[in-house]
């Protein structure tokens, strides 16, 4: 700083040395600052000011950095010896740090804040956000789901991911009728409108539900289970569960909020980095949705007298030929349109097999 | 403690020579730490050949570099950041303006030019108003997009039309609330200038909007339609460097402090040359990574074949995935720091006003190393390293800029103040555009 800060003047030993700027020129005036009664006195060779303490804007305490005090008329006092300033302002000027500053300057409280923050983030990620998404989705009209699903189906057909089905009309009707019979046994008013579509797929045995009510069943899945209507009812019941809970829309809302939050947090470090929590969150939400849909699947199978054990068998069946295909689709995943509700991308198969086996035992 | 020993005027030539020598050594010896050259300059720099306070009224012809130092620390910014974050979440983000003021005050109070820190004067209550205004606008925009394509288009149009005005307001607010040695900065850009600066972006955007009417049947776009789309995309790429240059010129022609008013002394040609070099570096790194991944994949594939099918299949798959991931990261981590360092050097290296000439020596290798280190630590700490990363990036970028002063600071005088609207500042923050002084 200036010479004034390093060697206290014998005339005014009180206070602290600093630079005074009048706000009109860039000239630094070496001064000493002290408190006299309820006034702040700034004194130097060519400066002499006395301001009421209430009109002064004090700097906050930090470990590093210049202390800058603002006066009402735009003038300011800068002190680079932050330690001397802090000692003086606490002991002589009677300044108390604000609550926030005290928390910021104590590692103990910072650690507590960090833990509270992490706990809060975990709770909102696991419970609050899904809960909020449910509420938000309830406000969104069903026509929005329909528009979303229609454009998704259109892009799937146009991208060549799906081709028209090779199943015979009789085969299609058999599946549709078996499913309709089971659905009719569910309590009325609790069944979403659906529209069953058949497609030949390039991504292997699969079934998925699109927002708005379209359920797509691939020929490959039909062939893997040899058209077993019990299994197909279970699979379609699972997809109907996705529709009933509007999982497609909820995922959109949850992922949207997650990505906005991650963007606000880490976006200015790297957009790529901020996408990592979004991807992880999507995977975790998708698992939760799968479980909800499995519960619905069991409900439908029970209503129509099918043992949930058939689904456990289905998983074993679909896993054997699909292993290679799954690895391939995992490797090329970024280029595929995201289908968070696609059946083949379900993680934790073992857990789901166990769920259906347990359900069968209760049955 | 930061001492502001001013560099002696007579030592300048010697210093330049030392700097040049240091640079040569560093470039010859890439393995040496990047600080080596800097340390040497510093030694010469700190020899007290002149009293600490330069005598008033030095002649304007002599030039002296003003040292830029950042004295903040990552650990302290961590403490500020975490408390800001907690309070922002608890208050449903209403605390954000206060958080921003704390953050800016911390960074400014630790950014010393010639031993004097910057200061931020923004009023968080005013900034809250701006934040809410811009937040409401963005919510309307995203909600409109969900319901109908037409509403989304209208909202986008409104946003696009308002955007240059918001940007200007943001820069006015930020500069008017930033001071150095007690003097407020200014942003002198006009409203018309903001729109003119954005013009190259509006032309392809409007053409794109007009194209929507050309499309009769969205399911079966005609060949001419697709050709037009490609033409517009090509045009956008072609005008991107011009757009960037015009925007930078709009900023760097309009910064003011006292009687000073900066000017960007570089033409659009340099922007195109820079874009070409960045493109070259990007392509080069993609090729290098592709070759490495290819060879690695082939070697691993071969090894898997030799050791029998099935046994190492999973291991090979995981290894290839890791290799691809590393490649992907390298492809991003070479061109981005390269572009950032060269762009900063180009713009700040050609910014000057009557009595100050800026210089920027941001090195690519330093940026690259720091990017790599920050990424690694961000991943390891699950993002908690973020404040440290921000501080280290800021320090590297800001300390590489050196203003050279040839006038007398004591004669610098305020020219009357104009204070911008805080909603502009909030917009600049939300859209991620910051002037990065």
């Amino acid at each position: 700083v200036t010479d004034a800060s390093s060697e206290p003047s014998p005339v005014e030993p009180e206070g602290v040395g600093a630079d005074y700027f009048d706000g009109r020129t860039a000239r630094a005036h070496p001064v000493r600052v002290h408190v006299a009664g309820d006034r702040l006195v700034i004194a130097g060779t060519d400066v002499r000011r006395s301001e009421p303490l209430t009109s002064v804007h004090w700097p906050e305490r930090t470990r590093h950095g210049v202390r800058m005090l603002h006066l009402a008329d735009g003038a300011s006092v800068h002190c680079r010896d932050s330690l001397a300033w802090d000692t003086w302002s606490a002991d002589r000027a009677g300044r108390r740090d604000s609550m926030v500053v005290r928390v910021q300057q104590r590692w103990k409280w910072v650690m507590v804040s960090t833990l509270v923050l992490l706990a809060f983030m975990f709770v909102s990620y696991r419970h609050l956000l899904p809960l909020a998404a449910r509420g938000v989705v309830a406000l969104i009209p069903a026509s929005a789901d329909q528009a979303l699903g229609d454009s998704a189906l259109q892009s799937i057909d146009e991208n060549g991911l799906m081709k028209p089905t090779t199943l015979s009309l009789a085969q299609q009707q058999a599946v549709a009728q078996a499913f309709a019979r089971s659905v009719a046994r569910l309590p009325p008013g609790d069944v979403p409108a659906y529209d069953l579509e058949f497609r030949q797929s390039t991504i292997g045995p699969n079934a998925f539900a699109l927002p708005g009510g379209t359920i797509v069943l691939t020929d490959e899945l039909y062939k893997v289970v040899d058209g077993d209507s019990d299994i197909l009812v279970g699979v379609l019941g699972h997809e109907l569960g996705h529709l009933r809970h509007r999982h497609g829309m909820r995922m959109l809302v949850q992922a949207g909020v997650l990505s906005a939050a991650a963007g606000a947090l880490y976006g200015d470090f790297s957009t790529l980095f901020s996408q990592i929590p979004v991807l992880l969150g999507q995977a975790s939400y998708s698992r939760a949705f799968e479980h909800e849909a499995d519960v619905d699947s069991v409900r439908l199978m029970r209503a129509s007298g099918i043992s949930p054990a058939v689904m456990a068998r289905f998983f074993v069946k679909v896993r054997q030929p699909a292993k290679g295909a799954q690895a391939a689709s995992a490797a090329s995943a970024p280029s595929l349109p995201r289908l968070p509700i696609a059946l083949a991308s379900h993680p934790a198969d073992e857990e789901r097999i166990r769920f259906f086996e347990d359900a069968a035992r209760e049955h | 403690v930061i001492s502001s020993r001013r560099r002696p005027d007579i030592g300048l030539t010697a210093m330049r020579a030392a700097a040049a020598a240091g640079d040569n050594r560093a470039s010859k010896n890439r393995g040496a730490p990047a600080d080596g050259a800097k340390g040497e300059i510093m030694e010469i720099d700190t020899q007290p050949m002149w009293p600490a306070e330069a005598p008033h009224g030095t002649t304007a012809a002599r030039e002296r570099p003003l040292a830029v130092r950042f004295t903040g620390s990552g650990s302290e910014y961590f403490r500020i950041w975490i408390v800001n974050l907690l309070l922002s979440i608890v208050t449903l983000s209403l605390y954000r303006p206060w958080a921003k003021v704390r953050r800016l005050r911390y960074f400014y109070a630790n950014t010393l030019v010639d031993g004097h820190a910057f200061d931020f004067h923004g009023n968080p209550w005013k900034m809250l108003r701006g934040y809410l205004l811009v937040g409401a606008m963005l919510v309307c925009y995203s909600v409109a997009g969900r319901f109908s394509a037409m509403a989304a288009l209208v909202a986008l149009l409104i946003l696009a039309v308002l955007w240059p005005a918001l940007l200007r307001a943001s820069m006015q607010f930020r500069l008017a609330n930033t001071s150095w040695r007690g003097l407020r900065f200014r942003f002198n850009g006009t409203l018309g200038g903001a729109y003119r600066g954005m013009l190259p972006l509006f032309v392809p955007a409007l053409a794109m909007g007009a194209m929507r009417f050309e499309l009769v049947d969205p399911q079966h776009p005609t060949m001419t339609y697709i050709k037009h789309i490609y033409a517009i995309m090509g045009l956008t790429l072609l005008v991107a460097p011009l757009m960037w240059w015009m925007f930078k010129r709009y900023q760097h022609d309009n910064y003011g402090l006292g009687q000073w008013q900066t000017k960007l002394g570089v033409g659009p040609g340099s922007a195109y040359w820079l874009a070409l070099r960045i493109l070259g570096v990007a392509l080069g790194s993609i090729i290098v990574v592709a070759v490495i991944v290819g060879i690695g994949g082939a070697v691993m594939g071969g090894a898997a074949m030799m050791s029998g099918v099935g046994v190492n299949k999973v291991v090979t798959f995981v290894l290839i995935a890791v290799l691809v991931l590393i490649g992907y990261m390298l492809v991003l981590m070479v061109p981005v720091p390269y572009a950032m360092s060269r762009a900063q050097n180009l713009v700040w290296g050609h910014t000057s006003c009557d009595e100050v000439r800026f210089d920027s020596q941001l090195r690519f290798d330093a940026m690259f190393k720091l990017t790599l280190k920050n990424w690694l630590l961000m991943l390891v700490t699950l993002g908690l390293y973020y404040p440290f990363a921000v501080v280290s990036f800021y320090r590297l970028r800001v300390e590489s800029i050196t203003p050279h002063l040839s006038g007398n600071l004591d004669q610098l005088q305020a020219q009357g103040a104009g204070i911008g609207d805080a909603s502009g500042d909030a917009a600049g923050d939300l859209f991620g555009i910051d002037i990065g002084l």
Side-chain angles (χ1 to χ4, degrees), chain A residues 19 21 23-27 60 62-66 68 70 80 104-105 107 117 120 266 268 270 272, chain B residues 56 71 73 76 79 85 89 102 109-110 112 115-116 118-119 181-182 332 375 378 383 386 409 412-414:
Chain A
D19 279 337
F21 294 97
R24 288 185 300 276
T25 71
R27 186 160 177 188
E60 285 183 343
T62 48
R63 194 165 131 60
H64 303 278
V66 176
M68 287 171 284
H70 301 161
R80 268 169 292 188
Q104 273 171 352
Q105 293 305 321
W107 273 108
L117 192 74
F120 181 81
Y266 298 124
D268 48 344
S270 154
L272 184 67
Chain B
H56 296 156
T71 58
S73 73
E76 178 152 46
R79 301 197 303 259
L85 204 58
I89 287 176
R102 281 224 165 77
N110 282 291
L112 303 165
H116 290 282
F118 289 98
D119 197 0
R181 295 182 70 129
L332 278 175
W375 257 92
M378 279 289 274
Y386 172 77
L409 281 173
L412 206 56
Q413 279 186 352

Side-chain angles (χ1 to χ4, degrees), chain A residues 129-138 140 148 246-260 285 289, chain B residues 146:
Chain A
L129 182 53
L131 206 70
R134 213 184 277 259
V136 168
V137 166
I140 298 175
L148 210 69
R246 291 174 83 182
H247 282 156
M249 209 56 167
R250 270 163 61 186
M251 179 62 94
L252 205 70
V253 171
Q254 283 172 214
V257 172
L258 207 58
S259 127
Y285 292 145
F289 289 167
Chain B
R146 287 284 148 82

Side-chain angles (χ1 to χ4, degrees), chain A residues 317-333:
Chain A
K317 244 181 179 175
V318 83
R319 216 172 348 156
Q320 281 149 2
K323 230 177 178 175
Q326 259 184 7
S329 78
S332 60

Side-chain angles (χ1 to χ4, degrees), chain A:
Chain A
V1 194
T2 51
D3 310 67
S5 67
S6 46
E7 37 189 271
S9 129
V11 188
E12 276 177 310
E14 214 190 342
V16 65
D19 279 337
Y20 171 82
F21 294 97
D22 60 13
R24 288 185 300 276
T25 71
R27 186 160 177 188
H29 304 266
V31 291
R32 287 196 76 80
V33 184
H34 69 271
V35 170
D38 56 354
R39 296 186 86 81
L40 182 80
V41 180
I42 303 160
T45 45
D46 46 2
V47 183
R48 178 103 206 158
R49 289 189 65 164
S50 162
E51 299 289 323
L53 279 176
T54 46
S55 72
V56 170
H57 191 268
W58 289 80
E60 285 183 343
R61 184 164 62 92
T62 48
R63 194 165 131 60
H64 303 278
V66 176
R67 297 289 178 272
M68 287 171 284
L69 177 143
H70 301 161
L71 301 179
D73 65 349
S76 54
V77 174
H78 296 194
C79 176
R80 268 169 292 188
D81 190 350
S82 45
L83 204 66
W85 176 280
D86 291 341
T87 315
W88 165 74
S89 74
D91 295 352
R92 294 308 178 104
R95 287 285 306 166
R96 295 271 293 149
D97 288 331
S98 74
M99 180 75 173
V100 175
V101 171
R102 268 179 283 163
V103 173
Q104 273 171 352
Q105 293 305 321
R106 284 281 180 82
W107 273 108
K108 187 175 84 183
W109 290 113
V110 168
M111 283 303 147
V112 170
S113 305
T114 312
L115 290 178
V116 169
L117 192 74
L118 289 176
F120 181 81
M121 278 167 131
F122 181 76
V123 169
S124 44
Y125 163 78
R126 283 297 285 270
H127 305 289
L128 293 184
L129 182 53
L131 206 70
R134 213 184 277 259
V136 168
V137 166
L139 297 175
I140 298 175
S143 60
D145 294 45
Q146 191 70 51
L148 210 69
D150 288 350
S151 73
L153 188 63
Q154 194 191 329
S155 84
I156 288 169
D157 284 338
E158 278 171 9
N159 291 343
L161 280 173
M162 301 275 161
K163 292 190 196 105
T165 180
T166 55
L167 298 180
S168 74
L169 211 60
Q171 285 172 319
Q172 293 181 32
Q173 268 167 2
V175 177
Q177 278 163 8
F179 184 47
R181 270 198 306 275
S182 298
V183 170
R185 296 219 178 94
L186 286 176
D190 208 14
V191 181
Y194 71 90
D195 172 30
L196 186 57
E197 295 272 345
F198 295 87
R199 290 283 191 282
Q200 192 195 349
S201 101
T202 53
I203 54 167
N206 212 329
F208 52 88
L210 294 172
T214 305
I215 297 176
V216 177
L217 183 71
T218 68
D219 298 1
E220 289 72 15
L221 187 92
Y222 181 91
K223 283 168 192 156
V224 165
V225 302
D226 301 320
D228 183 328
S229 65
D230 283 357
I231 293 182
L232 289 176
V233 164
V235 168
L236 295 175
H238 173 97
E239 301 308 333
L240 197 68
H242 282 314
L243 293 180
R244 189 166 78 100
H245 298 290
R246 291 174 83 182
H247 282 156
M249 209 56 167
R250 270 163 61 186
M251 179 62 94
L252 205 70
V253 171
Q254 283 172 214
V257 172
L258 207 58
S259 127
L265 250 180
Y266 298 124
D268 48 344
F269 170 71
S270 154
T271 334
L272 184 67
F273 186 88
S274 73
Q275 284 308 301
I276 296 174
V278 180
L279 289 178
L280 293 178
Q282 269 180 340
S284 146
Y285 292 145
S286 147
R287 263 197 301 278
F289 289 167
E290 294 314 322
H291 181 70
E292 271 183 18
D294 280 348
V295 171
D296 269 38
S297 168
V298 166
R299 191 175 73 128
L300 181 72
M301 284 189 286
R302 275 186 184 151
S304 42
I306 302 169
S307 165
V310 299
M311 283 301 279
R313 264 192 284 132
F314 162 70
F315 278 114
V316 177
K317 244 181 179 175
V318 83
R319 216 172 348 156
Q320 281 149 2
K323 230 177 178 175
Q326 259 184 7
S329 78
S332 60
S335 64
L336 294 173
R338 245 201 329 276
L339 296 171
I341 39 192
L343 197 71
S345 59
H346 297 178
D349 275 353
E350 302 299 334
E351 206 179 299
R352 301 183 64 200
I353 292 175
R354 219 175 309 124
F355 170 75
F356 281 110
E357 279 171 349
D358 290 350
R361 242 169 270 134
E362 284 165 38
H363 180 78

Side-chain angles (χ1 to χ4, degrees), chain B residues 100-132:
Chain B
K100 188 174 179 175
V101 168
R102 281 224 165 77
R103 188 189 78 212
L104 285 176
R105 286 229 173 104
Y106 182 70
F107 276 88
Y108 281 13
N110 282 291
T111 306
L112 303 165
V113 175
D114 195 31
H116 290 282
F118 289 98
D119 197 0
F120 185 68
H121 306 264
N123 178 353
W125 284 103
K126 249 189 190 171
M127 288 162 77
L128 177 68
R129 208 182 52 196
Y131 176 68
L132 290 177

